[in-house]
Structure formats: C-alpha cells, structure tokens
Amino acid sequence: MEKTLFKFIWRYSKRDQIILLILTVISFPFLYLSLDLPKTIINKAIGGKDVPEEIFGITIDQIDYLLILSGAFLALVFVNGGFKFYVNVFRGQLGERMLRRLRYSLLARVLRFPLPQFKKVSQGEVIQMVNSEVEPLGGFVGDSIALPAFQGGTLLTILIFMFIQDWMLGLAAIALYPIQGYIIPKLQWHVNQLGKKRVRNVRVLAEKIGEAVSGIEEVHANDGARRILARFTERLGVIYDIRYEIFRRKFFIKFLNNFIAQITPFFFYSIGGYLVIKGDLTFGALVAILAAYKDLSAPWKELLTYYQRLADSCIKYDQVIEQFDPQGIWPENYQMAEIEADFNLAGNVSAGNLSILDEESQPIVEKLSFDISKSEHIALTGPSSSGKDLATILMARLLAPDSGQILIAGKQIADLPEAATGRYMGYIGPNAFVFNATLKENILLGVMHRPISTGGELNEDLKNAQLSGNSLDDLGAEWLDYNAMGVDSDEGLQKRLIELLQVVDLDGDVYSMGLRSALNGSDDDQLLEQILTARKKFRERLDKSDVSNFVESFEKEVFNSNASVAENLLFGTPKGDSFSAENIGTHAYVLEILERVGLKDEFIRIGRDVASTMVELFADLPSDHEYFSQYSFISSENLPEFQTLLARSERLGLENMSTEDRNQFLSLPFKIIPARHRLDLITDDIQKRILAARKLFAEEIGDELRDEIEFFEAGYYNRSSSIQDNILFGKIALDKANAIDEVDHLITEIIDQENLRPVIINAGLDSQAGLAGSRLSQGQRQKLSIARALLRRPDHLILNEATSSLDSGSQAIVMSNLLSEMKGRNITWALQRASLAENFDRVLVLSGGQVVEDGSFQDLVKKEDSVINDLLREE
Amino acid sequence: MSLNKEVEVLRDVPLFSKIDHTKLKLLAFTSENLIHQDGQFLFREGETGDAAYIVLKGKVAVFIRTEKGPVEVAQLKRGDVVGEISILCDVPRTASVKAVESVQTLKVTKDTFIHLLTEFPEIAIEIMRVLASRLNKTNIQLREALTD
C-alpha cells in the first residue's frame, strides 16, 4: 500500500490529474478576459473613448460597439461556466473512482490479514474505517492537484490583473497574506491533532457498539444494560468534547480569515480613491479592481479550506493505512493465483517440527510432527490446550507456523495458493459460519471459487471496475464448479445435495423447513399439480381413518372453529400488509363489509367482552410476564388504556361512547380462535353473519385490493401458504388430543407415497438461513458447513470439533456417515471427547503441543498408564 | 366446553379449593382443552412427561406394568388430576393413563403448573398432602401384600 496519500494519488491517477491540470490552464486566458472586458466596456464603450470605427471591415458606432462587447462578455460567461461544469464532473468522477479503489484495496487487504490480526482489530473498527473514514478522501483526491492549481491560478490571474492596473493596489490586496500565512497553519496544527484524536475515539465507539450488539445476550442476562449505557455516555462525552473543541478552533480560524479579508477594502477605498481623484487611475479601473477583489476572496478562501482538508485527509489516510498493513499479511497471489488443471492434493501429509508462539512469544505448539497417509482416518485428541485444534488449523493452512513445515502430496502447503488449499481440502471449525442467504446458496459456496465461464468482452460495469482496480470477476457468470462436485447437470446437483443432507443428518430438518415454506416463486405447474393431488389423497386417507375430525377442512359455506375470526372472514392468505393480523381490524374495506352485514356493533360488543376478560385475567400480572406475549390479546402496554375504556363503557354504556373509543374494541374479535379460546362469544348467529361477510368480502373486493389476498379455493394451489397448509387445506383440530402428531404422521405418509420428499427438501433448501445463520441452531450450522466442504469431494477433510454442538445421537450418525463417505480419503478430526476416537484408523494424542501417543484406539487403551485412558476416565 | 364451565369443574378440585375464580380462569385459559377418544392413551408409562391433566368429563383408567402384564390400579373421574408426579420431579411417567370413554381434559403444561405453584404455595401444600396420603395408602397396600 502506498505510504502517503499523494503517492497513492499520483500512482493511480497521474493521467487524469494531468488532464485536469491542462483543462485548468486552458481556462485561465478566458478567465482573464472576463475580468478585463468590463473595464473596456465601461471606459471605452460607455465612456465613449477610443471607439474603433470598424471591426473586421464593418463600420460600427458606439452603441454597436457596446452591444458587441456585451455579447462577448456573455459568451465568456458561457465559456467559463462550461469549463467549470466539465471540470467539476471530471473531478467528481475521478474522486469516486479513487475512493472505490481505496475501499477495494482496503477490503482486499482485510481478506489477506493473518488470522491472529482479527484478535487485534474488531469488526466495528474495520467497518468504521472502510465505510466512513475514507469517504472524505474521495472528494479530496479529485481536488488534490487541480483545485490548488485552479484556485491558485485564479488568484494569480486576478492578482496579475490588479498589478497591471496598479501595482500599489495589487500590493494592498495581498498585504495581509503573509500574516495569514503565518498564523493559520499554527492554529490549524492544533485542529489536526484534535482530528486525529477524534478518529481514534470514534473507532473505539464503533468497536464498543459492535461489542454490545454481539454480546447482547450477556448484557441482558447479567443486567448489564446500565453499565453499557454509562460506557457509551463516557465515550460520547469524550467525542463531544473533542468535536466541540475542533468546532471552536475552526470557527476562530474562519473568523480571523474573514476579519482580515474585510480589512483590505479599506486600502482600496483610501488609496484607490486618492489615485482616482488625483487622476492617476481611471474610475473604470477602480470599479474593475473592486469587482476583481470581490472575486479574489473566493479562491483565497478555497485555498485556505483546501489547506485544512489537505491536512485532514493526510491524517486520515495515514491512520487508516497503518491499520491495514499488519505484519505477516498474506501475499496477493494466495487468493489470485490459479492452479493447473490436473492439480490435486491426494497424497500423504507430513508435518515436521511445527511451532507456534503466542503473543508473549511462548510456544503453544512446539516441534509438532506427524505423518498421515492419504486414505487414513485420524482422530486427534488431548486435553483442551493440547494444540489439537491448532494442528488442524495449521494443516488447513489457515495459520502459518512460526517454524516448521507441512507437506501434502509432496507439496509445501505454505507456498500453495488458496485455489489449492481451499478446493482440495475441506476444513470445518467449531464456529461454523453460515451466511445470510438460502441454505442452498450456503452449501454451494463450497464450490464457488471463481467464475467458470470467463473470456469475452468485459461488460460496462466491469470496465468501470477495471478503471478503479476492482475485481474483474463477473458475479453474474456461472461460478459452480460441476467438475469438483462430480455431477454434470442440475438434476445431478439436486440429487447430490439431498445425499449430502442425509450424510450430515440434516435432511429431516430441511424437510420440515420445506413443509413450512411457500412455493411462491415456483412456476413448475406440474409440481403444484402434484401437491394438489397430495391434498386430495390426504383428505381421502383422513376420511378413511378414525381420526377424520383431526383436520377441519376449509369449506366456503362453513365456519371453521379452529381458525381465527380474521381467517374465517378473509377465507384466504394475506399477501401484503393490508389484511395482516395487525391491520385487519382497522382496514376501511373490512369495516365497510362488517357494517353491511350488521356485524360492526356486534364486534364492538364482543371486543368489549374480550377486553374485559383480558383485563380480568392479566391485570395482576407483572408487565413483563411471558403470558402477555403467549396468551393475551392485549399487550401489557395497552392494558391500562383498555382498563380506562372499560370503565368508560361501564359508566356511559357502550352505545354512548365516542366512535373513536368504540373502534378501539373493534380489532379484538378478529384474534379469537373459538376452539382454542373457548370464550363462547362467537355464537352460531355471529358465525352465520361472518360467513355472509366472507361472501361479500370476496365478491366486492376491488382490483387494487385483489393483490393483497389469495383466497382459499379447493382446486387451486395457494402460493402464499406453505406447502403443509396446501396439503392440509384446513386447520388441525385444537381440541383433539395428539392431533398434531397424528396429522404430521399422515402428511409424511402421503408425501412419501407421492414421492414428494425431494421436492420438499428442495423447497427447504431455498429457505433463508437468516443473519449469520440465526434461523438455524448451532448444530444445524455445523452440519451445513460440513455439507459445504463435502460438496467438492476434498482429498482431505479436516474437522476441528466440528460436531461439538450436535446431540450425541446425531453426532454418532454424522460421524459414521462421514467415515464411510470419505472412505479411501483422509479425515483428520480433532475431537472434543476422546471416546469418540474409537472408530478411527489411528489416534494421535496431543499434550502440550506435541504428539505423546500414536496408535490404534484399541492398542492405546490397553496400556494402563496411557494419556488416552486418563482422558477417557475424565469424561 | 367453555372457559366458564371449565372453571366450575376446577372449583370442585380439592387441590384448587383455595384459589380464587380469576386465577382458575387464567389457569384454564392458558391450558389446552382436549378430547380423548375411548381407548386413547393420555400418556404411557416410561415416557417423559411435560404436562399434567385435569379430568373435566368422563373417566380414565390408570395402569401399571407388572410381570403379568398391565394392571389397572385406579379409575379417575371429573375433578381428578393425573400426571403431576413426572412434571414435579422430572421422572418418566410412573403409570399409563387411558381414556375409558370419550374423555375431556385440561392439559396443564409444566411451565403453567410451576407458575401456579410458585404463585400459590397453598397448592403446593395441598399437593404434598395428596401425595403423602397416596404414599400412606401405598404403604398400607404394601404391608397387606407382605402379610398375605
């Protein structure tokens, strides 16, 4: 990385800066002319002295002359404006391009940080630096050379003009510059120091914010919020003080500048006036000088601001750069270099004399040596700080040893690019990370190393990327490496994915997710038809069983007591927010329908009764009681309001309350599910009227609301509902014991009978994993990461306590599946428990960063005093 | 069965005799009302338990496993509570319970039950009394069995 900002600017924008400079220089003559012309107009054209009799052979009078000169002035205004516009756009583009380049190179460097660096810089700091701190640099880069040249040139042009008019006045105009030139930098220096301090403190704040967000569970569980807030307050206070100080000093500088600038006219009025009276200076010249002086203050101010920005930008650049240049940063070709087509790592592993030092230069792994043959299944075990985890990390080349070397298939892995280590080996650590994408995309990441289809012209976006030195890999190209997966088609890939899910024991979970997900994007009509068949078969199967009343099907003319009142009225799935559970009670169209079937007053009465029951049941509970979210129709915050409303209805009678008050009750009945809540409020008569409302609602819905809902129709697939709901086409009876288990069981039966399982697993693979995989459990994340590594059929599978979050049943399944999946290829597995080592070919027991025992599990446990026996006893 | 009718049944349960109407209603509201068909098991011996059941209507039979096969040890009816042991002390179900006719119960989950106990120590004492008397009865039966 370039050590100073100007080196960076010069190296990457030389050409553009020179163009800018040339443009600037070309513009000066025009600027000079536009200054000089007013004088000619006033003195000659208006004053009537020296009017030429003809121009280009055409005779003219004084008026013509005035008009010609004025026209020329107007033309100059256009030319100057045009220059300014073009230069500004050019400069802006240059600045943005350089900012893009700077950000990209910072990000590229983050990806090359040696892993221990991430213990020193926090995520918050990196984001702060890349996002905000470098932002002003972009603007500055465009200005860095052209602006001082332009403004300096402008200043000079104006000064030259003034000196030509009268050297004394010229001198007067710049008389105070030396004073400014002396004082301002001194004042500025203090501001710069404060600027540095501010940058550091904002970074710390960013880090603290990041910490509070990541540790939010701990904060709540330890009642630590107030302490955290106090810490934030302290930090914000420090930043406030610094900013205030900067503010004060900056405005003092500004004040001083303005003051000095306004003293100068004093000289013009006195000296200039004197000269005009004496006849040594024409009146026109004085006016022109005064106009020029007004123009002078703008570039001078710009130059002073430029000086401040220059200082500011250089500090920022230095402060950012030093953070992105850690010791031991990986070379660029680790990530960029490609490998030969016939490359592989299928061969023995030989690690010799590996050592790692900790931050205090104490060895944590010392002279670690081991050999693994290419098809062996190796278990690494040992006490918690034995170095078994580091051995796997070293083998995956995620960490470079301080000394020693690892050879795999005869190749020094320290010299290999990630194209080798990240494609022919698979490493899964205990903190398996899942990205915010679908499950499928997460697994496919394991074979998306580079765009496969390269060559051909760069598109417009990539051409721009090239100009900023960004990556030229087309995100839209095909990235999937089918060769690595050993499949040749999409169908093959689907099959392979399902196989892998079985290997990592995740197929059941993904199947459940699939059942709960909607196929809203699917245009596979045949598939939807299949699910509709399943719906029919399910109902038939149910009717034949003795549990036919476990599901209450949706029927157009029948009230469904296991569905909410809202669902009964809509008789469909809301698509947008209009008819969502929160909004339905206040939606104008819904209220109009209620009014027309004579339900509005009834709903207000029922709502009042619901409110009174809720107040009766929940009013004594503490406001943060879990029952509020689980059971109450009214949140704890709103409960007091309803208490007041109820008291008012008691006093005035429901019918005498204001419309606004009455409408408060209106939304409550929509939430009632008669079979669950057993409030006896939705009587047969009300049900009948809700059915009437249902009919009217569907008949009269306008075009603009039609897209807000998808109605239930017996013969149609409902894209807004989940697959499971489409098969059920009804509600599970809430009052039948065991109904949920029984129905699940039946659905599975039908799905298997109709061969729908792969389709549903596919739908499950398309569900979102959430931020950092938050919708999955830690165990599921680990399984997903293993599948990701397996997909590319690695020569070596390296696991570092990668199944630690699985329950023991699932762990046994995954382990045995992996051992058979990787038959003939190497597995090296650092285990969290020694007893798990039993099924491996060979066990390496580590202690104190060295291999202390090496042999088969059976042989090692035979020896009474072996370390592995100690470990087994401790379990 | 509506909430209010359930509360009427609950008032007759000796365990809940000292709890006021509102709290019984809350208990009912936060619990599931379930219908078990004739012959359906509420739970089986050895399963892990997550809920107790209060019989609202109908009869259930309690069985325990013996060498000679399942033996019916009791029949319970409206107002009786079953299944509270395994949610109190985290042991597997100590007996199987089966509906002998169409039965309606209130299924009280472990969380709800614990909430009830912490809020009303009277119920805890009442439960102790019931369990102690059951223990006493078992002792007597054991003594009789030994002297036979």
Side-chain angles (χ1 to χ4, degrees), chain A residues 784-797:
Chain A
L784 201 68
S785 304
I786 297 175
R788 181 190 289 162
L790 275 183
L791 182 60
R792 60 174 174 264
R793 303 183 300 166
D795 295 325
H796 304 268
L797 186 67

PDB file of all heavy atoms in Angstrom, chain A residues 784-797:
ATOM      1  N   LEU A 784     -24.452 -27.913   8.195  1.00  0.00           N
ATOM      2  CA  LEU A 784     -24.460 -27.231   6.899  1.00  0.00           C
ATOM      3  C   LEU A 784     -23.021 -26.987   6.421  1.00  0.00           C
ATOM      4  O   LEU A 784     -22.707 -27.163   5.242  1.00  0.00           O
ATOM      5  CB  LEU A 784     -25.200 -25.897   7.038  1.00  0.00           C
ATOM      6  CG  LEU A 784     -25.756 -25.278   5.772  1.00  0.00           C
ATOM      7  CD1 LEU A 784     -26.896 -26.118   5.245  1.00  0.00           C
ATOM      8  CD2 LEU A 784     -26.248 -23.867   6.040  1.00  0.00           C
ATOM      9  N   SER A 785     -22.148 -26.592   7.349  1.00  0.00           N
ATOM     10  CA  SER A 785     -20.768 -26.309   6.961  1.00  0.00           C
ATOM     11  C   SER A 785     -20.053 -27.578   6.528  1.00  0.00           C
ATOM     12  O   SER A 785     -19.207 -27.544   5.633  1.00  0.00           O
ATOM     13  CB  SER A 785     -20.004 -25.690   8.125  1.00  0.00           C
ATOM     14  OG  SER A 785     -20.659 -24.550   8.560  1.00  0.00           O
ATOM     15  N   ILE A 786     -20.391 -28.690   7.160  1.00  0.00           N
ATOM     16  CA  ILE A 786     -19.758 -29.946   6.756  1.00  0.00           C
ATOM     17  C   ILE A 786     -20.214 -30.301   5.339  1.00  0.00           C
ATOM     18  O   ILE A 786     -19.406 -30.663   4.477  1.00  0.00           O
ATOM     19  CB  ILE A 786     -20.104 -31.083   7.739  1.00  0.00           C
ATOM     20  CG1 ILE A 786     -19.542 -30.748   9.127  1.00  0.00           C
ATOM     21  CG2 ILE A 786     -19.520 -32.408   7.252  1.00  0.00           C
ATOM     22  CD1 ILE A 786     -19.923 -31.736  10.203  1.00  0.00           C
ATOM     23  N   ALA A 787     -21.508 -30.130   5.076  1.00  0.00           N
ATOM     24  CA  ALA A 787     -22.027 -30.426   3.737  1.00  0.00           C
ATOM     25  C   ALA A 787     -21.334 -29.534   2.708  1.00  0.00           C
ATOM     26  O   ALA A 787     -21.005 -29.968   1.605  1.00  0.00           O
ATOM     27  CB  ALA A 787     -23.536 -30.208   3.701  1.00  0.00           C
ATOM     28  N   ARG A 788     -21.108 -28.283   3.093  1.00  0.00           N
ATOM     29  CA  ARG A 788     -20.453 -27.320   2.196  1.00  0.00           C
ATOM     30  C   ARG A 788     -19.071 -27.819   1.794  1.00  0.00           C
ATOM     31  O   ARG A 788     -18.687 -27.755   0.633  1.00  0.00           O
ATOM     32  CB  ARG A 788     -20.348 -25.986   2.934  1.00  0.00           C
ATOM     33  CG  ARG A 788     -19.727 -24.872   2.155  1.00  0.00           C
ATOM     34  CD  ARG A 788     -19.450 -23.694   3.069  1.00  0.00           C
ATOM     35  NE  ARG A 788     -20.664 -23.026   3.498  1.00  0.00           N
ATOM     36  CZ  ARG A 788     -20.719 -22.214   4.549  1.00  0.00           C
ATOM     37  NH1 ARG A 788     -19.640 -21.985   5.278  1.00  0.00           N
ATOM     38  NH2 ARG A 788     -21.841 -21.630   4.887  1.00  0.00           N
ATOM     39  N   ALA A 789     -18.322 -28.340   2.766  1.00  0.00           N
ATOM     40  CA  ALA A 789     -16.971 -28.807   2.471  1.00  0.00           C
ATOM     41  C   ALA A 789     -17.002 -30.124   1.691  1.00  0.00           C
ATOM     42  O   ALA A 789     -16.168 -30.355   0.826  1.00  0.00           O
ATOM     43  CB  ALA A 789     -16.185 -28.974   3.768  1.00  0.00           C
ATOM     44  N   LEU A 790     -17.983 -30.974   2.002  1.00  0.00           N
ATOM     45  CA  LEU A 790     -18.041 -32.282   1.342  1.00  0.00           C
ATOM     46  C   LEU A 790     -18.402 -32.167  -0.133  1.00  0.00           C
ATOM     47  O   LEU A 790     -18.017 -32.999  -0.940  1.00  0.00           O
ATOM     48  CB  LEU A 790     -19.110 -33.149   2.020  1.00  0.00           C
ATOM     49  CG  LEU A 790     -18.708 -33.937   3.257  1.00  0.00           C
ATOM     50  CD1 LEU A 790     -19.890 -34.762   3.715  1.00  0.00           C
ATOM     51  CD2 LEU A 790     -17.509 -34.831   2.976  1.00  0.00           C
ATOM     52  N   LEU A 791     -19.173 -31.127  -0.459  1.00  0.00           N
ATOM     53  CA  LEU A 791     -19.708 -30.989  -1.813  1.00  0.00           C
ATOM     54  C   LEU A 791     -18.600 -31.051  -2.867  1.00  0.00           C
ATOM     55  O   LEU A 791     -18.789 -31.570  -3.953  1.00  0.00           O
ATOM     56  CB  LEU A 791     -20.487 -29.674  -1.917  1.00  0.00           C
ATOM     57  CG  LEU A 791     -21.166 -29.365  -3.242  1.00  0.00           C
ATOM     58  CD1 LEU A 791     -22.174 -30.434  -3.591  1.00  0.00           C
ATOM     59  CD2 LEU A 791     -21.857 -28.010  -3.198  1.00  0.00           C
ATOM     60  N   ARG A 792     -17.410 -30.532  -2.525  1.00  0.00           N
ATOM     61  CA  ARG A 792     -16.352 -30.503  -3.548  1.00  0.00           C
ATOM     62  C   ARG A 792     -15.464 -31.735  -3.480  1.00  0.00           C
ATOM     63  O   ARG A 792     -14.421 -31.758  -4.099  1.00  0.00           O
ATOM     64  CB  ARG A 792     -15.532 -29.223  -3.411  1.00  0.00           C
ATOM     65  CG  ARG A 792     -14.854 -29.046  -2.087  1.00  0.00           C
ATOM     66  CD  ARG A 792     -13.939 -27.838  -2.074  1.00  0.00           C
ATOM     67  NE  ARG A 792     -13.397 -27.604  -0.750  1.00  0.00           N
ATOM     68  CZ  ARG A 792     -13.916 -26.743   0.120  1.00  0.00           C
ATOM     69  NH1 ARG A 792     -14.982 -26.054  -0.195  1.00  0.00           N
ATOM     70  NH2 ARG A 792     -13.367 -26.591   1.298  1.00  0.00           N
ATOM     71  N   ARG A 793     -15.872 -32.752  -2.780  1.00  0.00           N
ATOM     72  CA  ARG A 793     -15.139 -34.017  -2.681  1.00  0.00           C
ATOM     73  C   ARG A 793     -13.662 -33.788  -2.368  1.00  0.00           C
ATOM     74  O   ARG A 793     -12.783 -34.100  -3.183  1.00  0.00           O
ATOM     75  CB  ARG A 793     -15.287 -34.808  -3.983  1.00  0.00           C
ATOM     76  CG  ARG A 793     -16.739 -35.070  -4.335  1.00  0.00           C
ATOM     77  CD  ARG A 793     -16.837 -35.896  -5.577  1.00  0.00           C
ATOM     78  NE  ARG A 793     -16.198 -35.198  -6.691  1.00  0.00           N
ATOM     79  CZ  ARG A 793     -15.888 -35.772  -7.841  1.00  0.00           C
ATOM     80  NH1 ARG A 793     -16.141 -37.043  -8.032  1.00  0.00           N
ATOM     81  NH2 ARG A 793     -15.326 -35.072  -8.800  1.00  0.00           N
ATOM     82  N   PRO A 794     -13.361 -33.234  -1.192  1.00  0.00           N
ATOM     83  CA  PRO A 794     -11.966 -32.872  -0.892  1.00  0.00           C
ATOM     84  C   PRO A 794     -11.088 -34.109  -0.721  1.00  0.00           C
ATOM     85  O   PRO A 794     -11.577 -35.176  -0.351  1.00  0.00           O
ATOM     86  CB  PRO A 794     -12.095 -32.119   0.444  1.00  0.00           C
ATOM     87  CG  PRO A 794     -13.320 -32.681   1.069  1.00  0.00           C
ATOM     88  CD  PRO A 794     -14.256 -32.987  -0.064  1.00  0.00           C
ATOM     89  N   ASP A 795      -9.794 -33.941  -1.006  1.00  0.00           N
ATOM     90  CA  ASP A 795      -8.850 -35.030  -0.777  1.00  0.00           C
ATOM     91  C   ASP A 795      -8.612 -35.232   0.717  1.00  0.00           C
ATOM     92  O   ASP A 795      -8.300 -36.328   1.154  1.00  0.00           O
ATOM     93  CB  ASP A 795      -7.511 -34.707  -1.459  1.00  0.00           C
ATOM     94  CG  ASP A 795      -7.661 -34.644  -2.969  1.00  0.00           C
ATOM     95  OD1 ASP A 795      -8.481 -35.427  -3.493  1.00  0.00           O
ATOM     96  OD2 ASP A 795      -7.000 -33.809  -3.606  1.00  0.00           O
ATOM     97  N   HIS A 796      -8.729 -34.137   1.467  1.00  0.00           N
ATOM     98  CA  HIS A 796      -8.553 -34.219   2.916  1.00  0.00           C
ATOM     99  C   HIS A 796      -9.693 -33.475   3.579  1.00  0.00           C
ATOM    100  O   HIS A 796      -9.954 -32.322   3.224  1.00  0.00           O
ATOM    101  CB  HIS A 796      -7.228 -33.578   3.357  1.00  0.00           C
ATOM    102  CG  HIS A 796      -6.039 -34.154   2.670  1.00  0.00           C
ATOM    103  ND1 HIS A 796      -5.323 -35.196   3.180  1.00  0.00           N
ATOM    104  CD2 HIS A 796      -5.470 -33.845   1.476  1.00  0.00           C
ATOM    105  CE1 HIS A 796      -4.338 -35.507   2.333  1.00  0.00           C
ATOM    106  NE2 HIS A 796      -4.418 -34.694   1.286  1.00  0.00           N
ATOM    107  N   LEU A 797     -10.360 -34.132   4.508  1.00  0.00           N
ATOM    108  CA  LEU A 797     -11.414 -33.453   5.259  1.00  0.00           C
ATOM    109  C   LEU A 797     -10.892 -33.232   6.667  1.00  0.00           C
ATOM    110  O   LEU A 797     -10.541 -34.187   7.367  1.00  0.00           O
ATOM    111  CB  LEU A 797     -12.693 -34.301   5.278  1.00  0.00           C
ATOM    112  CG  LEU A 797     -13.906 -33.620   5.903  1.00  0.00           C
ATOM    113  CD1 LEU A 797     -14.353 -32.445   5.037  1.00  0.00           C
ATOM    114  CD2 LEU A 797     -15.057 -34.595   6.058  1.00  0.00           C
TER     115      LEU A 797
END
